[in-house]
Amino acid sequence: MEMDRTVVAEERPTIIDTVTGAIRENYLNANYGLKSWFLTVDHKRIAILYLISITLFFFLGGSFAVMIRLELITPQGDLVQAETYNKLFTMHGIVMVFFFLIPSIPAVLGNFLVPIMIGARDMAFPRLNLASWYIYVVGGLFTLGAMIAGGIDTGWTFYTPYSTSFSNTYVIATGLGIFVVGFSSILTGLNFIVTIHKMRAPGLTWFRLPLFIWSNYATSIIMVLGTPVIAVTILLVALERGLHIGIFDPALGGDPILFQHLFWFYSHPAVYIMILPAMGVISELVACFSRRRVFGYKFVAFASLGIAVIGFLVWGHHMFVSGQSSYAGMIFSFLSFIVAIPSAIKVFNWTATMYKGSISYDTPMLYVMGFIGLFTIGGLTGLFLACLGVDIHVHDTYFIVAHFHYIMVGGTIMAYLGGIHFWWPKITGRMYPEGWGKFSALLIFVGFNLTFFPQFLLGYLGMPRRYYAYPQEFQVLNVMSSAGASVLGVGYLLPLVYFLWSLRYGRIAGSNPWKATGLEWQTSSPPPTENFLATPVVTEEPYQYSPEETEAEYAMTKKENVNV
Amino acid sequence: MWDFPLFPEQASTVAGRVDSLYFFLVTITIVFSLLIAFAIAFFAIKYRRGNNVDRSNPLSESKTMEAVWIGVPLVIVMIIFFWGTNVYFTIVRAPKQAEDVYATGKQWMWKFQHIGGQREINELHVPVGKPIRVIMTSEDVIHSLYFPSFRVKQDVLPGRYTQLWFEPNKPGTYHIFCAEYCGLQHSGMIGRVVVMDPVSYQRWLSTGKGGGGSTTGDAGTGSGESMASAGEKIFQQQGCASCHMADDATRAPQLKGLFGTQVALKNGETITADEQYIRESILRSGAKIVEGYEPVMPVYQGRISEEDLMQLLVYVKSLAAPAKNQSGGTQSATVPGTATGEQARGTAQHADVPAANAKSGSK
């Protein structure tokens, strides 16, 4: 991946703002004012809009989690009413899944990086891209409005007939918010697919693409094919709830299991919407900080597609105790074991990438190592749930809660934060404070394990999920979990503070502070609005790192420092 | 404070098998997690920047290694799959001699009724060493009946029957939980299962006493008659007998000996007369018309409670010969010697009742 860097440095026309006298040279200072942000069609600015909105939702969802963990410190219900508690875990799930995790990496890092990584000027449909953010905001406001009006208590899973005929909360309003936000997801996916197909730079063949592109491509397929199903399902819930058309409620002639099939047909692949982009981030990071080409590039790339395809065939493993046929259960169990294999392939390849590398322990690499460890535990505990004999016991207990938090928090959020740290200098032009970065990465890792590991034990002991009050004997493990959550909370607040701090006080990053390969590092930081001044031409495979060269350079700088 | 459990009690025959599988999985998890963690730590230290080690000719792809780390996990997960499926089919297939208990879930309580008619709320008394099959339905939303110490769980659905079974093998008192979120007092929908030695269980069945400090589990609450006999009364009250027990079978199919047999339907299909079929035929008689009959039976949907329906079902089952529970009593070889007699008598007593009622019913 070569590109004449002097082009960027010398031929860049300097535009002086006639009013302020400031130099307009990148996408952030190209123009000013609210209008320039809210009507922007620049994928990088849209990424920033997403970054701000999903961060708000993350801390909103996090505050619900704080209340949940506080309530669960004691066995009896005391802090909040049972009704409030039920709304808290429901809204925690809805906010985190639909308004944070699903858009997180694709909408922020994907939006920012996909065009730059493939050497394009923007997405294939820039206006559609902006529209998808507006749709996200409308959906978000809808759901927020429903929460402020009184909330919803069905669990994020909306199981019927509770959601359609029994709950007295704002099911339809909240559902509509999710229905709307689904379109944002579909449009983003569609945009990625077309952009990746049609707008790659000359010479950038499929097997020269960074793995982040492969994983976002696989994610987009799921978004486009899966999301319409959840949209239809929510609509059916609204029809039954509002007009009493019998679809899911047996009292009206419906079938409650049908809802579960439809819901999980989307919501299981949705787990892969959350984890696949995270895997893409990890591939980029592990290569850069090990100074090695990702081991088994093609296997890692095809593993993403494998997960996307097989992921559509495993939804029934959420229904082993639902009353579905035991033979169906057997087939879903088998396929669920098969979908574990591509994930295993990735973990082994990432680990092998570190072999004979030149490894530095910068913050993003700490997140990588944290991710691989936690994702491994999350993935292996998934085998317990794919296994029919064990799932019967642990289904709907805290074992499941622990498992999916290892995947979604230990996996997706670790990768998201690792990615934000890694590309922060590219996005803002400034470095975050490295010491604080390492400290908070460590805090998050420790806090995370303390929060969620005890939940595996609670689950096997039999503590069901969504319990407002619980038997006395579960208290000690619950207290541990709540204590861990407080550490985790601090770990999440720290980056918020130092990232904001770095916007003004961070060290100027320069175009490539990590000496990384990839087209995004060959343009200035922050990049100009048009990303590249001349279309880059790609002549090599990705990840052309050399550990030996890195070592030689490192030895040289060390020597110079000693001489000084 | 530090006296808290880290592992649940094993109180059923299947619990040990589930736990063995679980420990196998735990072992796999620990081995692979440590393998990965060790490899990462080892590489991170050995190949840290500035450490003078050999980094020449690093491999960046290897079909052999890919084959190994695809093949080995594949073999392991297939072992888990077959093992897990094997345990699963033990969990879902109730033995033929299992004794039936009927359960109804509603927001937010569990109602149990024994064949002998004894009713319990949020408490279930069962004898040790005898397979128990719980046939369940819900009056409102989806619930899930969960016995952690038995390692079994099954969702309880409105509008249909589901079932689970277990064989307790350790006397004691254990949790009953609702595992599927069901609304406001979901976490209050809990209870306990009291596993008793067979002698105490028989005493409990007949007197309602000795239920392990029982407060709510007074056996025989309500009718004091067996489910089949109560079902027979409903059968008379609802006017079922006038057609289904008439001397000639021209107006309606006869129910004697029906349960468990194959029924030929008008549309050419053949169906087993199981719990679900009986339920559907009472509630929506038009759903499955028996060959040779017209759909003239009224619809009982919404006119009969779930509990009454269960009693009717038990009555219809009792009309099938030979009485299932009687054979169950004599087959339970696992029951300790002294208890066998008690056991057999206890179940025989239940089985006798419907037989007697059936006679009086066909007037």
Side-chain angles (χ1 to χ4, degrees):
Chain A
M1 291 201 185
E2 284 183 350
M3 192 201 148
D4 196 346
R5 214 172 293 165
T6 54
V7 174
V8 181
E10 290 168 13
E11 288 182 23
R12 170 77 191 153
T14 312
I15 304 166
I16 310 282
D17 191 296
T18 47
V19 182
T20 61
I23 302 168
R24 292 175 170 183
E25 56 186 3
N26 63 51
Y27 79 100
L28 289 171
N29 62 17
N31 42 33
Y32 296 96
L34 281 180
K35 199 178 146 193
S36 78
W37 280 91
F38 286 112
L39 293 180
T40 184
V41 287
D42 181 351
H43 67 101
K44 299 181 288 301
R45 286 195 164 202
I46 295 167
I48 301 286
L49 292 175
Y50 265 117
L51 175 67
I52 295 166
S53 18
I54 71 160
T55 304
L56 290 176
F57 274 106
F58 175 72
F59 283 100
L60 177 68
S63 66
F64 295 141
V66 168
M67 298 291 285
I68 292 169
R69 285 313 330 163
L70 282 174
E71 172 58 59
L72 291 177
I73 289 174
T74 56
Q76 68 280 10
D78 31 32
L79 181 69
V80 295
Q81 301 287 311
E83 190 189 352
T84 314
Y85 180 84
N86 294 344
K87 288 177 179 176
L88 283 171
F89 72 68
T90 301
M91 296 189 293
H92 169 70
I94 289 174
V95 166
M96 288 303 202
V97 170
F98 295 107
F99 296 95
F100 174 71
L101 285 164
I102 287 176
S104 62
I105 297 178
V108 177
L109 294 173
N111 250 326
F112 195 94
L113 293 166
V114 165
I116 309 186
M117 278 184 166
I118 64 170
R121 192 200 179 289
D122 206 309
M123 294 281 240
F125 308 114
R127 287 193 189 87
L128 208 57
N129 200 14
L130 181 65
S132 82
W133 179 74
Y134 274 102
I135 292 168
Y136 170 86
V137 170
V138 169
L141 289 178
F142 229 108
T143 301
L144 272 184
M147 284 174 186
I148 292 165
I152 172 172
D153 74 340
T154 60
W156 80 278
T157 45
F158 294 96
Y159 267 26
T160 56
Y162 183 72
S163 63
T164 56
S165 302
F166 289 86
S167 174
N168 294 315
T169 55
Y170 292 84
V171 178
I172 296 182
T174 314
L176 275 180
I178 295 167
F179 176 82
V180 170
V181 84
F183 286 90
S184 146
S185 197
I186 293 170
L187 294 182
T188 300
L190 191 73
N191 224 336
F192 280 177
I193 290 174
V194 177
T195 306
I196 294 167
H197 268 278
K198 304 304 288 184
M199 300 184 64
R200 283 171 285 129
L204 189 52
T205 57
W206 284 91
F207 290 118
R208 288 178 181 173
L209 285 173
L211 287 163
F212 182 77
I213 300 293
W214 274 96
S215 63
N216 273 284
Y217 184 81
T219 308
S220 302
I221 293 174
I222 306 175
M223 284 173 161
V224 170
L225 296 181
T227 317
V229 179
I230 191 76
V232 169
T233 312
I234 292 171
L235 219 53
L236 292 176
V237 167
L239 283 179
E240 179 164 289
R241 194 177 163 84
L243 305 173
H244 304 289
I245 297 171
I247 302 161
F248 303 126
D249 184 355
L252 302 170
D255 178 1
I257 301 285
L258 174 65
F259 171 83
Q260 297 179 23
H261 281 292
L262 292 171
F263 180 82
W264 290 114
F265 183 82
Y266 165 75
S267 294
H268 191 77
V271 174
Y272 300 117
I273 295 181
M274 303 176 213
I275 197 67
L276 276 170
M279 293 167 156
V281 169
I282 296 305
S283 297
E284 299 301 311
L285 269 51
V286 75
C288 176
F289 293 97
S290 305
R291 313 306 295 174
R292 290 267 276 113
R293 179 172 162 77
V294 173
F295 196 92
Y297 171 95
K298 282 190 185 176
F299 285 89
V300 177
F302 282 117
S304 293
L305 294 182
I307 289 173
V309 173
I310 306 168
F312 271 110
L313 306 173
V314 301
W315 77 89
H317 69 214
H318 294 266
M319 301 165 60
F320 288 159
V321 301
S322 71
Q324 81 179 353
S325 142
S326 46
Y327 296 102
M330 194 170 96
I331 289 163
F332 282 122
S333 167
F334 178 81
L335 290 166
S336 304
F337 281 115
I338 296 301
V339 83
I341 301 297
S343 296
I345 294 174
K346 287 181 179 244
V347 168
F348 287 121
N349 280 301
W350 291 323
T351 308
T353 305
M354 293 172 70
Y355 174 67
K356 285 194 174 182
S358 166
I359 297 164
S360 64
Y361 305 144
D362 297 293
T363 307
M365 189 59 181
L366 297 188
Y367 278 108
V368 168
M369 294 194 276
F371 172 96
I372 298 177
L374 299 181
F375 179 73
T376 301
I377 296 174
L380 286 165
T381 51
L383 299 181
F384 292 64
L385 305 171
C387 172
L388 285 161
V390 173
D391 181 71
I392 301 302
H393 174 52
V394 293
H395 195 94
D396 271 325
T397 67
Y398 264 84
F399 193 95
I400 298 251
V401 177
H403 158 73
F404 70 67
H405 281 89
Y406 264 78
I407 298 290
M408 291 179 189
V409 184
T412 304
I413 299 185
M414 293 291 272
Y416 173 70
L417 287 175
I420 291 284
H421 282 84
F422 183 63
W423 283 292
W424 189 254
K426 181 54 60 185
I427 295 170
T428 67
R430 291 185 186 262
M431 297 302 293
Y432 60 86
E434 185 61 36
W436 284 105
K438 283 181 178 149
F439 177 65
S440 68
L442 199 69
L443 219 52
I444 288 171
F445 184 80
V446 171
F448 174 84
N449 280 297
L450 196 52
T451 309
F452 293 105
F453 193 81
Q455 297 185 3
F456 281 123
L457 301 174
L458 278 172
Y460 204 77
L461 277 169
M463 179 169 167
R465 65 192 288 198
R466 296 170 172 177
Y467 263 31
Y468 162 67
Y470 55 83
Q472 182 75 44
E473 74 236 42
F474 298 145
Q475 187 177 11
V476 173
L477 290 167
N478 270 295
V479 169
M480 281 184 203
S481 183
S482 295
S486 63
V487 178
L488 189 59
V490 174
Y492 285 142
L493 282 170
L494 277 178
L496 183 72
V497 175
Y498 66 68
F499 276 136
L500 288 172
W501 176 89
S502 76
L503 289 177
R504 183 175 277 271
Y505 304 105
R507 186 164 53 82
I508 302 289
S511 62
N512 191 359
W514 309 116
K515 297 193 171 60
T517 65
L519 290 177
E520 79 269 31
W521 300 107
Q522 301 193 13
T523 184
S524 51
S525 304
T529 302
E530 51 278 70
N531 295 344
F532 303 94
L533 296 178
T535 305
V537 176
V538 179
T539 56
E540 292 175 321
E541 295 192 330
Y543 312 118
Q544 294 296 323
Y545 292 109
S546 162
E548 286 180 306
E549 268 174 37
T550 312
E551 284 296 320
E553 278 171 34
Y554 180 77
M556 201 105 81
T557 39
K558 225 175 153 186
K559 223 175 182 179
E560 280 166 15
N561 289 345
V562 171
N563 291 345
V564 168
Chain B
M1 171 76 180
W2 295 104
D3 180 30
F4 61 95
L6 288 172
F7 199 76
E9 277 195 85
Q10 294 181 340
S12 76
T13 48
V14 82
R17 291 184 62 191
V18 173
D19 289 347
S20 308
L21 178 56
Y22 173 73
F23 283 121
F24 177 71
L25 278 156
V26 169
T27 310
I28 296 287
T29 303
I30 291 174
V31 167
F32 277 87
S33 300
L34 285 182
L35 186 81
I36 296 292
F38 177 79
I40 289 177
F42 179 76
F43 292 154
I45 293 167
K46 184 171 181 191
Y47 297 110
R48 69 181 182 278
R49 195 161 300 162
N51 196 28
N52 191 17
V53 287
D54 175 38
R55 291 183 173 87
S56 57
N57 308 317
L59 209 61
S60 65
E61 52 188 29
S62 157
K63 292 229 169 68
T64 319
M65 294 185 73
E66 301 288 347
V68 169
W69 60 53
I70 291 170
V72 172
L74 196 61
V75 170
I76 293 172
V77 295
M78 283 304 106
I79 292 170
I80 303 170
F81 167 70
F82 282 109
W83 188 350
T85 305
N86 186 280
V87 173
Y88 171 70
F89 277 104
T90 308
I91 293 174
V92 292
R93 284 186 178 153
K96 286 209 165 48
Q97 75 274 19
E99 185 170 307
D100 288 348
V101 171
Y102 287 81
T104 314
K106 65 174 278 189
Q107 290 176 323
W108 292 275
M109 63 169 78
W110 293 108
K111 296 186 282 189
F112 297 100
Q113 189 168 20
H114 298 260
I115 290 290
Q118 298 85 349
R119 287 175 192 271
E120 305 187 69
I121 288 178
N122 291 341
E123 194 160 65
L124 176 63
H125 288 74
V126 288
V128 73
K130 184 161 176 57
I132 305 291
R133 184 170 72 136
V134 188
I135 297 164
M136 332 176 262
T137 191
S138 164
E139 290 181 12
D140 36 51
V141 300
I142 299 178
H143 303 280
S144 189
L145 186 61
Y146 179 28
F147 300 95
S149 301
F150 301 157
R151 309 288 188 274
V152 292
K153 174 190 293 133
Q154 171 62 50
D155 281 6
V156 180
L157 304 168
R160 59 182 274 197
Y161 292 127
T162 53
Q163 55 166 285
L164 62 72
W165 81 276
F166 52 84
E167 183 178 329
N169 61 1
K170 190 172 158 191
T173 304
Y174 311 101
H175 287 299
I176 297 174
F177 290 135
C178 174
E180 183 65 66
Y181 174 67
C182 59
L184 189 67
Q185 293 298 335
H186 168 53
S187 62
M189 195 165 161
I190 59 176
R192 52 186 207 154
V193 54
V194 182
V195 178
M196 311 170 86
D197 68 85
V199 178
S200 313
Y201 179 64
Q202 284 311 320
R203 196 184 313 128
W204 178 84
L205 276 183
S206 49
T207 66
K209 297 231 159 54
S214 159
T215 46
T216 55
D218 44 344
T221 310
S223 58
E225 61 184 337
S226 76
M227 285 185 80
S229 137
E232 201 234 340
K233 274 195 190 131
I234 298 165
F235 193 79
Q236 300 293 343
Q237 281 160 11
Q238 298 283 349
C240 316
S242 60
C243 299
H244 287 288
M245 283 295 172
D247 289 335
D248 69 319
T250 48
R251 288 177 66 193
Q254 290 301 286
L255 303 184
K256 270 185 199 161
L258 167 71
F259 191 82
T261 58
Q262 296 290 313
V263 179
L265 301 182
K266 206 169 192 174
N267 62 11
E269 285 175 30
T270 304
I271 192 168
T272 307
D274 57 6
E275 283 94 353
Q276 195 62 36
Y277 168 76
I278 304 292
R279 175 193 173 85
E280 187 180 38
S281 298
I282 295 170
L283 294 180
R284 293 182 303 279
S285 52
K288 292 189 174 67
I289 307 296
V290 180
E291 175 69 46
Y293 292 94
E294 291 306 312
V296 292
M297 179 173 154
V299 169
Y300 282 86
Q301 177 114 40
R303 291 169 54 189
I304 185 165
S305 75
E306 288 294 350
E307 282 164 283
D308 283 358
L309 190 59
M310 278 176 165
Q311 290 173 331
L312 266 182
L313 170 66
V314 174
Y315 171 63
V316 171
K317 284 166 92 170
S318 75
L319 296 175
K324 201 181 83 181
N325 284 320
Q326 192 154 13
S327 62
T330 49
Q331 279 176 22
S332 0
T334 49
V335 177
T338 51
T340 317
E342 285 286 340
Q343 198 68 24
R345 237 177 297 142
T347 45
Q349 187 190 333
H350 303 154
D352 285 344
V353 177
N357 287 331
K359 255 173 258 160
S360 64
S362 53
K363 32 187 151 158

